[in-house]
Amino acid sequence: MHTGICTGLVVTGEVNLEKGTHGVLGDTINVASRLSGLAKSGEIVIGPDTYHQAEGYFTFEPMEPTTVKGRLNR
């Protein structure tokens, strides 16, 4: 298992609890998906905003700066 976590605004759409479907859109979702693609098995890759909010609560290992498709460097 691997995943990516990004903190930010999202837009939610229709939620159907019976079918278990929901819709979320936004740049935050896209970046989280890209970060997940960078993660290796057993890893969780997080964005910088998530890091700043979670530092002090978890132990992190730095990774080399990476360009994420569809994003400008900030």
Side-chain angles (χ1 to χ4, degrees):
M1 182 179 137
H2 63 275
T3 195
I5 301 174
C6 185
T7 300
L9 297 174
V10 298
V11 177
T12 61
E14 182 177 333
V15 176
N16 185 326
L17 297 177
E18 291 176 10
K19 290 184 180 179
T21 59
H22 60 279
V24 288
L25 301 169
D27 190 50
T28 302
I29 301 300
N30 295 333
V31 173
S33 176
R34 302 288 189 216
L35 294 176
S36 180
L38 294 173
K40 298 175 182 129
S41 180
E43 288 185 335
I44 300 170
V45 176
I46 64 170
D49 292 338
T50 305
Y51 171 76
H52 291 300
Q53 291 184 24
E55 65 182 328
Y57 295 98
F58 300 94
T59 302
F60 298 97
E61 295 179 17
M63 52 185 295
E64 294 294 320
T66 305
T67 300
V68 177
K69 181 179 173 185
R71 300 283 301 173
L72 299 174
N73 292 334
R74 318 193 244 170

